Amino acid sequence: MAQVQSKGRFSGCLLASDIDGTLVSDGRIPQRNLAAIRRFTDEGGLFTLATGRSIESARRYAEMAGVNCSAIVYNGAIGYNFMEEKTLWQESLPESAKILLPPILERFPDVGVEVHSGRKLFVLNHTPDVDRHVVYEQLELIDMDYDAAADEDWTKVLFAMGKTDRLAQLHAYCEELSVTGCYFLKTADCYYELTCDGVSKGAALTRLGSLMGVPPERIFAIGDYYNDTELVEAAGVGCFVETAPAELRALADYVACSCEKGAVADFIDELGQTLSGQAAVFR
């Protein structure tokens, strides 16, 4: 892990990046991003991840990227320090969320269902879509039925459905359900999640910034999808990549190039110019 420098252009700054479609393309971090992140941390910046992935799934990218402060995982439900192997906070779904699963499974027997419980992953309905997700994120799973899983502590539920029409039907059905203490969130074109009320990447970024003593105007964030909306809006300077939906790009202070071309590096370069300009004004 990179070491934080006490002085430098990015001293006192916190930059949080989404993983998939933002930092990582086809499972790899573009070299341009790695070089820029190293410059950012060498010049005093705090770089971290804000992702829907689990602790173990995010770990290899935290190590590859040189994350040097606590990370945001499970879309903000958990704050985790990979350097110290320490959980800063953890939010769990209420018991009321668990009773939503049986009717969903009955109505949509073809939807893959993963129940994430801290570091553990229980698969309640095994489908090819779940298999692809597990392989892509290199997850270790436990096949389990609903009754056994209901006794566990739930961090989030992920529904995997590769057929867009069926995912739309699932979305419409879930929107009509009466939920207390939780909400549904589309996190990718084939994933739909159930998470706790009050949990989001944006809320987690604000929480992390406060814990790290970073003022709001020195907090930066970059993402590419709808579950990054709160993250980008919570930042002092927020960025979406150019492949993000148009309505999201309109919310950003800056639009970076595509993930494949090095979006995080593009954003860091822009921040460097902005901060240098600010320093020049006050000299």
Side-chain angles (χ1 to χ4, degrees), residues 66-267:
V67 163
N68 61 355
C69 69
S70 297
I72 296 164
V73 295
Y74 287 119
N75 284 317
I78 293 179
Y80 194 79
N81 187 313
F82 287 100
M83 295 169 287
E84 300 178 3
E85 300 295 349
K86 177 182 178 182
T87 299
L88 275 71
W89 70 78
Q90 180 168 345
E91 307 293 342
S92 299
L93 283 164
E95 291 298 312
S96 58
K98 297 179 180 180
I99 64 175
L100 300 174
L101 266 291
I104 292 175
L105 284 166
E106 182 177 0
R107 181 72 174 269
F108 298 92
D110 53 337
V111 67
V113 179
E114 301 174 4
V115 170
H116 293 257
S117 176
R119 292 192 173 195
K120 296 180 289 185
L121 166 61
F122 308 121
V123 174
L124 274 58
N125 201 27
H126 221 121
T127 67
D129 295 309
V130 165
D131 290 338
R132 282 189 287 271
H133 182 237
V134 167
V135 170
Y136 179 72
E137 294 198 8
Q138 300 180 27
L139 302 170
E140 293 186 7
L141 60 88
I142 303 169
D143 283 309
M144 185 175 288
D145 62 26
Y146 169 79
D147 290 335
D151 292 331
E152 302 286 341
D153 185 56
W154 292 11
T155 306
K156 75 170 186 178
V157 180
L158 182 143
F159 302 96
M161 172 58 73
K163 298 177 180 178
T164 56
D165 58 334
R166 288 292 282 166
L167 187 68
Q169 292 169 17
L170 174 66
H171 174 81
Y173 176 78
C174 291
E175 286 293 296
E176 296 299 318
L177 294 176
S178 177
V179 297
T180 302
C182 55
Y183 70 100
F184 291 94
L185 174 68
K186 186 178 180 183
T187 56
D189 289 338
C190 56
Y191 301 135
Y192 195 54
E193 298 187 10
L194 179 63
T195 192
C196 310
D197 273 349
V199 165
S200 71
K201 291 183 182 182
L205 181 62
T206 299
R207 187 173 187 174
L208 180 60
S210 178
L211 289 172
M212 302 298 298
V214 180
E217 67 273 13
R218 306 282 283 188
I219 297 176
F220 315 128
I222 179 171
D224 77 303
Y225 204 67
Y226 292 102
N227 62 320
D228 297 317
T229 303
E230 291 87 351
L231 177 73
V232 170
E233 290 182 328
V237 180
C239 175
F240 274 110
V241 303
E242 65 181 7
T243 52
E247 61 266 37
L248 298 184
R249 298 197 304 271
L251 300 174
D253 299 299
Y254 179 71
V255 176
C257 65
S258 68
C259 174
E260 295 80 3
K261 294 177 182 178
V264 172
D266 204 12
F267 188 36

